[in-house]
Amino acid sequence: FTSSQSLSGSVVLGREADFDSVVGFYRTLDAAGTVIAADGITRLKPGDRGYTETALQPFNRINQLGNYSVADGQTTSRNFTGLTGGTFLAPFAQVNGNTFLAFGAANADRISHFRVLGNNLFGMEDLLGGGDRDFDDLVFGFSISQVA
């Protein structure tokens, strides 16, 4: 969606994992995951030194889509409004002291921990090294109710 548009809707989460995880989203400039640094000029790509720290700075994080968590074996949903466009959204998760980003090159194990499971539906693998690679440890989906 464009920078002049905003979205409203909900995010639904479900968890099937022993480890607690917190999921949120950050802004990227393109589908390759490029983020902009605090100076407004420097651009970092997944795998660049400082990428994770920069991606998760408050100016790149999306407050309306942050701090999602759910108990094991449970589901929950949360509404959001006024999410502005003009950038790409990328998920991140914090699990057992590890931070996993949407792009494998940005992760300590160089493995992608997120997978598209369907339209507006994503799964996460929560173990360093890829675990069992079932991508159902945390599943989240979007339901868009309004584009204004």
Side-chain angles (χ1 to χ4, degrees), residues 13 30-31 35 41 56 58 63 66 73 97 117 126 131 133:
L13 280 84
D30 53 35
V35 294
I41 299 168
L56 299 182
N63 292 332
L117 301 177
D126 68 352
R133 297 181 190 259

Side-chain angles (χ1 to χ4, degrees), residues 75-111:
T75 61
T76 189
S77 67
R78 200 162 90 193
N79 295 330
F80 63 89
T81 60
L83 181 62
T84 57
T87 61
F88 291 79
L89 308 180
F92 72 91
Q94 295 172 321
V95 185
N96 278 348
N98 296 304
T99 299
F100 301 120
L101 290 104
F103 304 92
N107 296 322
D109 57 8
R110 301 291 190 233
I111 294 172

Side-chain angles (χ1 to χ4, degrees), residues 63-79:
N63 292 332
Q64 300 98 317
L65 300 176
N67 296 320
Y68 291 124
S69 63
V70 64
D72 186 23
Q74 301 293 311
T75 61
T76 189
S77 67
R78 200 162 90 193
N79 295 330

Side-chain angles (χ1 to χ4, degrees), residues 20-21 44 49-50 52 56 58 69 76 82 100 113 125 128-129 131:
D20 291 334
S21 55
L44 299 171
R49 173 181 275 162
T52 298
L56 299 182
S69 63
T76 189
F100 301 120
H113 286 263
E125 178 56 53
L128 195 63

Side-chain angles (χ1 to χ4, degrees), residues 26 33-38 42-57 59-60 99 101 105-107 110:
Y26 64 100
T34 305
V35 294
I36 194 152
T42 305
R43 287 166 166 61
L44 299 171
K45 295 183 183 240
D48 288 348
R49 173 181 275 162
Y51 178 86
T52 298
E53 295 78 12
T54 301
L56 299 182
Q57 288 295 313
F59 53 84
N60 281 326
T99 299
L101 290 104
N107 296 322
R110 301 291 190 233

Side-chain angles (χ1 to χ4, degrees), residues 4 18 20 25 29 32 35 60 62 75 80 82 86 97 106 112 123 131 136 143-145:
S4 64
D18 293 333
D20 291 334
F25 291 82
L29 300 175
V35 294
N60 281 326
I62 300 168
T75 61
F80 63 89
S112 178
D136 69 352
S143 175
I144 306 302
S145 61

